[in-house]
Amino acid sequence: VFFSLSPQLAFVAPSSFQMVCLLVASALVWLASVVTTEAASAGAAVVPAAALAQRGPTRGWVEKGPAAAEEEVELIFALKLQNTAELERILEHVSDPSSPDYGHYLTKAQADHLTAPRHQDVDIVERFLRGRPFHVTSEGSFISCRLPVHAAEAILGGRFVRMCRVAVGSQDESKESCMLRNPTAAVPAALRSACGAISPLDEPLPPGDGCDVALMPRAGA
């Protein structure tokens, strides 16, 4: 079932919950891309990045103003995968008792190699990072980079804001949790086309206490 929804999900380490959320969010980005296809084909310079994804549930979350220019944010680029149809075909065979390949599951390394993104797409992301240090995992499927908010805004457009909420049932604002989001981002078309999703742009706000990821301490804490 995982493969029919997103082949990459089955090979994400259990501790990488943020990446799982990011991949689920990529479905919302796909819907947004359908809306903007006509504009892109007409030569539009930018594509609205997170407008659709960040219209999800925000119950309990309140915008608390812009993020500080020097505050750090981690960007995670989930690049578009290749050979997903072949991966689904392999899954069907290894799951079919009548197939000679039954039970011969791929290792994570094999799956990463099969679905590795195009070198051109990796190059696009690296070019937009403009020489900043970055970390690559899963044969280039994920590229992450920590950088100041002002630098992230220069790459992605828009402005980062702090979205905050107090734990359900608590009136103690010292227990407030905050996350950075950029609802006004306008990602360059070349960068958007290379990625299936970009965190935190396409990462929905957690719906409840049990799903919080990437929480930041309250300013001054």
Side-chain angles (χ1 to χ4, degrees):
V1 175
F2 275 134
F3 284 87
S4 64
L5 296 176
S6 176
Q8 205 165 359
L9 284 175
F11 299 99
V12 174
S15 61
S16 302
F17 183 64
Q18 185 177 12
M19 290 184 178
V20 174
C21 290
L22 177 58
L23 287 165
V24 172
S26 66
L28 293 175
V29 177
W30 176 82
L31 290 174
S33 70
V34 172
V35 176
T36 57
T37 295
E38 184 176 346
S41 64
V46 296
V47 176
L52 181 59
Q54 296 199 49
R55 286 175 190 162
T58 58
R59 190 163 88 181
W61 293 94
V62 178
E63 182 178 326
K64 291 295 185 75
E70 296 300 325
E71 184 174 358
E72 281 202 337
V73 59
E74 182 178 30
L75 303 182
I76 303 176
F77 302 88
L79 280 79
K80 289 183 177 177
L81 303 182
Q82 298 188 93
N83 303 317
T84 55
E86 173 65 9
L87 188 60
E88 290 201 23
R89 186 193 67 78
I90 293 172
L91 175 64
E92 291 176 359
H93 284 204
V94 301
S95 304
D96 181 0
S98 66
S99 170
D101 295 325
Y102 179 64
H104 296 168
Y105 295 99
L106 294 180
T107 64
K108 181 182 185 299
Q110 289 172 325
D112 286 343
H113 182 73
L114 177 64
T115 60
R118 300 187 312 158
H119 292 300
Q120 301 96 305
D121 290 341
V122 175
D123 289 344
I124 287 172
V125 174
E126 292 183 6
R127 186 174 75 246
F128 274 94
L129 291 177
R130 302 167 187 171
R132 293 185 176 275
F134 58 85
H135 181 63
V136 178
T137 56
S138 300
E139 295 209 12
S141 295
F142 292 102
I143 296 178
S144 59
C145 177
R146 293 193 66 85
L147 68 174
V149 162
H150 69 83
E153 291 173 346
I155 295 172
L156 305 173
R159 290 292 181 266
F160 277 89
V161 298
R162 295 177 66 86
M163 299 295 295
C164 303
R165 80 172 173 198
V166 176
V168 175
S170 174
Q171 301 299 319
D172 185 354
E173 290 195 4
S174 66
K175 299 184 182 300
E176 186 178 63
S177 297
C178 295
M179 307 180 76
L180 294 184
R181 287 295 185 269
N182 186 341
T184 57
V187 180
L191 182 57
R192 173 54 76 190
S193 68
C195 299
I198 302 172
S199 173
L201 299 190
D202 306 323
E203 193 177 342
L205 291 166
D209 288 344
C211 298
D212 283 8
V213 294
L215 292 182
M216 303 180 299
R218 180 179 171 85

